[in-house]
Amino acid sequence: MGKGISIQCKKCGYSTTLFEGLGNRTKDFEGFRKRLNKNDNEYIDYILSKGIIKEINYHDSYGKCDRCGDLSTINYIEIHYDEYKTFNLENKCHVCEGNYIPVNLEEVLNSNCPKCNNERIDSFMSMNWD
């Protein structure tokens, strides 16, 4: 089961809906990978074929760009392999090419508006999805 939140800036009208978690169609890792691009899947295939996989964590996550502050839903993947190696899927911002970093709900709600930098974003709907 996943969660979602719709947010809006009352100053400029910016709005978006963000999701986190897993739904029924993405409960298994192969189903989740279907939405990744070819290069990401090829690199993950390489890790899976070469390393000793210890743990794979994956889900939708709230993401915030480390450069422009854009908020988006991102594909979070973390693979622990071999003795001490970790792969984290990199999510590029579609606005400025910065990197999205996973954030929690509180960080989303305490973010400045990515469009006008207003200090107050309001949530107007939260939901559960499957």
Side-chain angles (χ1 to χ4, degrees):
M1 169 92 48
K3 297 178 183 175
I5 183 123
S6 292
I7 57 173
Q8 181 176 28
C9 175
K10 293 211 177 194
K11 183 176 179 184
C12 74
Y14 168 85
S15 67
T16 190
T17 300
L18 307 170
F19 300 96
E20 71 171 353
L22 287 172
N24 278 333
R25 288 181 280 175
T26 56
K27 280 187 179 178
D28 70 320
F29 187 52
E30 292 307 312
F32 188 83
R33 287 182 60 187
K34 288 179 182 177
R35 41 168 130 155
L36 303 179
N37 68 45
K38 181 181 177 186
N39 290 338
D40 289 339
N41 270 311
E42 286 176 354
Y43 194 77
I44 290 169
D45 284 339
Y46 174 78
I47 290 171
L48 296 176
S49 70
K50 297 292 184 189
I52 298 170
I53 306 305
K54 297 190 177 253
E55 183 179 20
I56 301 174
N57 299 310
Y58 62 96
H59 58 273
D60 288 331
S61 179
Y62 304 133
K64 183 176 182 177
C65 178
D66 63 0
R67 192 181 303 167
C68 73
D70 186 61
L71 298 167
S72 187
T73 301
I74 62 171
N75 296 312
Y76 177 85
I77 298 176
E78 180 180 74
I79 303 174
H80 299 276
Y81 64 103
D82 291 344
E83 191 61 32
Y84 299 105
K85 295 180 182 178
T86 301
F87 164 79
N88 288 300
L89 181 66
E90 194 172 86
N91 290 276
K92 291 286 185 191
C93 176
H94 59 274
V95 175
C96 74
E97 293 295 314
N99 290 312
Y100 284 111
I101 55 172
V103 294
N104 61 34
L105 179 59
E106 185 177 331
E107 291 171 294
V108 169
L109 296 176
N110 289 325
S111 294
N112 288 3
C113 174
K115 187 173 178 184
C116 73
N117 206 32
N118 184 24
E119 293 180 5
R120 179 84 169 116
I121 291 180
D122 295 316
S123 65
F124 61 89
M125 181 173 59
S126 62
M127 66 198 92
N128 292 321
W129 60 274
D130 197 22

